[in-house]
């Protein structure tokens, strides 16, 4: 996939309301790179892959996630 798209590719599994990064293949020739540590765990609402996962879940399940998730800010406000 990395060779076909020219983008960094992450393999992720979902566990305990988090995305867990299992493996990563980087395109070292790309000017735009994503740095994620293999083994890192992130809340579903704070990652692109987590949001894509939630978008594919039944609406009631996604709503349950947002109701119960601990919503912590990870970026600074302007």
């Amino acid at each position: 996939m990395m060779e076909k798209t020219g983008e960094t590719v992450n393999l992720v599994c979902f566990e305990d309301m988090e995305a867990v990064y299992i493996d990563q293949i980087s395109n070292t020739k790309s000017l735009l790179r994503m740095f994620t540590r293999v083994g890192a765990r992130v809340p579903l609402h704070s990652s692109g892959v987590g949001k894509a996962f939630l978008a594919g879940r039944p609406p009631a399940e996604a709503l349950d996630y947002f109701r119960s998730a601990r919503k912590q800010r990870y970026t600074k406000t302007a």
Side-chain angles (χ1 to χ4, degrees):
M1 186 181 286
M2 184 277 296
E3 291 172 357
K4 196 152 190 95
T5 65
E7 300 295 336
T8 296
V9 175
N10 290 290
L11 178 62
V12 177
C13 72
F14 301 96
E15 182 178 285
D16 297 328
M17 310 272 273
E18 294 179 312
V20 183
Y21 289 84
I22 304 292
D23 200 3
Q24 182 181 80
I25 299 176
S26 298
N27 181 352
T28 57
K29 297 175 185 170
S30 176
L31 296 175
L32 179 64
R33 295 184 57 198
M34 179 185 161
F35 296 95
T36 303
R37 181 180 51 82
V38 171
R41 302 175 74 93
V42 296
L44 297 178
H45 67 276
S46 69
S47 69
V49 71
K51 291 172 190 164
F53 175 78
L54 287 168
R57 306 308 304 161
E61 188 178 321
L63 205 54
D64 284 346
Y65 168 79
F66 283 107
R67 285 184 179 138
S68 64
R70 187 173 138 242
K71 296 164 194 82
Q72 178 181 347
R73 183 180 298 264
Y74 291 94
T75 56
K76 294 180 182 179
T77 58

